[in-house]
DNA sequence: TTGTGTTTTATTGCCTCC
DNA sequence: GGAGGCAATAAAACACAA
């Protein structure tokens, strides 16, 4: 361990000038042209196979300063360390460097690059989660919209029946008329309530049932980079902070304090989606 | 074998924090 | 002002298809 094939001159810009262990300059260019000016017979790639990596004789003949790719063992240990804590305190950096036979700077760079890779992956995961959540909500929205259509026609037909009775001059006493109006009002309230997808403090059944992935799992990039204190969910719900480009509504206080308000952005998107198709947005029913 | 895309290692410059 | 973090980037190593 601790030996490789090439090392770099830290003073050179971007490390473009490379040196072999004996100090001979090396041209750095396209992979196939990475040749020492003379004597390429002893030159080896950073590594060719895992077997070669553990070939002590192979490493022994190398100068300890040479730069090379990290061995699987080194990477494994670094990965384990990263899993435990993705930030590196100076003490741990030194310890790891000693353990791995690397420069502390190399360990720091590895952690930095590893954090960047993790972040990229996390953004991909977050995107996938948000997308599937959106798709699921959209499909629920469509089915609820169909239910609403059906209920709407029910109301219309009941209205017509009621009007027919009144206009037809049938014998309707005050009490029975009031009862029918009450029934209609109840039906309207019921439809209205379902239309809004939620009631009270329980939040949306749709959201609860189909969007568990939006519940803070603690490993989202967004969660980790944005302070939860700054993005509490409405009504004290434990939900992730708004995602740029999706959360377009301000909490204007009109929300009833339940969780569903947080997802209104999704419905806004749904509405826009239906608008594009020439359909009516959510909330068209009672307007 | 070669061209091309991806991954890994490293640098630079800027920013923030103490 | 120095240390450390991050984004952007370079370039070699690597993988793989044609």
């Amino acid at each position: 361990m601790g030996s490789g094939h090439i090392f770099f001159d830290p003073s050179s810009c971007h490390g473009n000038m490379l040196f072999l262990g004996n100090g001979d300059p090396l041209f750095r260019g396209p992979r196939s042209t990475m040749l020492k000016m003379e004597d390429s017979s002893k030159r080896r790639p950073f590594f060719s196979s895992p077997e070669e990596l553990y070939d002590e004789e192979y490493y022994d003949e190398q100068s300890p300063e040479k730069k090379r790719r990290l061995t699987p063992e080194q990477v494994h240990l670094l990965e384990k360390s990263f899993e435990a804590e993705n930030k590196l305190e100076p003490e741990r950096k030194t310890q790891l460097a000693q353990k791995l036979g690397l420069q502390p700077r190399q360990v720091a760079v590895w952690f930095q690059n590893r954090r960047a890779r993790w972040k990229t992956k996390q953004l991909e995961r977050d995107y996938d989660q948000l997308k599937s959540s959106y798709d699921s909500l959209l499909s629920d929205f469509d089915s609820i919209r169909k239910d609403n259509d059906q209920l709407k026609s029910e109301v219309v037909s009941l209205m017509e029946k009621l009007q027919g009775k009144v206009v037809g001059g049938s014998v309707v006493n005050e009490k029975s008329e009031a009862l029918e109006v009450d029934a209609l009002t109840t039906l309207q309230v019921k439809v209205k309530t379902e239309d809004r997808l939620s009631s009270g403090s329980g939040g949306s059944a749709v959201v609860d049932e189909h969007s568990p992935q939006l519940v803070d799992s603690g490993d989202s990039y967004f969660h980790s980079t944005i302070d939860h204190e700054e993005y509490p969910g409405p009504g004290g719900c434990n939900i992730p902070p708004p995602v740029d480009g999706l959360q377009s509504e301000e909490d204007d206080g009109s929300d009833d304090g339940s969780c569903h308000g947080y997802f209104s952005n999704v419905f806004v998107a749904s509405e826009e989606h239906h608008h594009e198709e020439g359909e009516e947005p959510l909330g068209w029913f009672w307007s």
Side-chain angles (χ1 to χ4, degrees), chain A residues 201-212:
Chain A
S201 59
S204 166
V206 172
V207 169
D208 290 342
E209 189 177 330
H210 299 289
S211 306

Side-chain angles (χ1 to χ4, degrees), chain A residues 1 49-59 71-74:
Chain A
M1 260 230 214
S49 67
E51 291 74 35
E52 217 171 38
L53 282 169
Y54 299 109
D55 183 349
E56 290 300 325
E57 202 178 336
Y58 170 52
Y59 281 121
T71 67
E73 274 179 341
Q74 287 172 320

Side-chain angles (χ1 to χ4, degrees), chain A residues 131-181:
Chain A
K131 189 176 183 305
S132 69
S133 176
Y134 169 79
D135 289 343
S136 163
L137 286 168
L138 194 60
S139 123
D140 287 335
F141 167 75
D142 283 339
S143 78
I144 288 168
R145 188 173 171 277
K146 277 176 190 146
D147 287 351
N148 256 327
D149 282 343
Q150 200 182 331
L151 288 165
K152 184 169 73 171
S153 62
E154 259 183 63
V155 169
V156 168
S157 108
L158 284 167
M159 284 287 215
E160 282 169 355
K161 273 186 190 174
L162 182 62
Q163 279 175 355
K165 278 187 178 179
V166 172
V167 172
S170 59
V171 186
V172 180
N173 64 35
E174 277 185 15
K175 196 176 178 183
S176 64
E177 199 175 329
L179 278 173
E180 288 188 9
V181 171

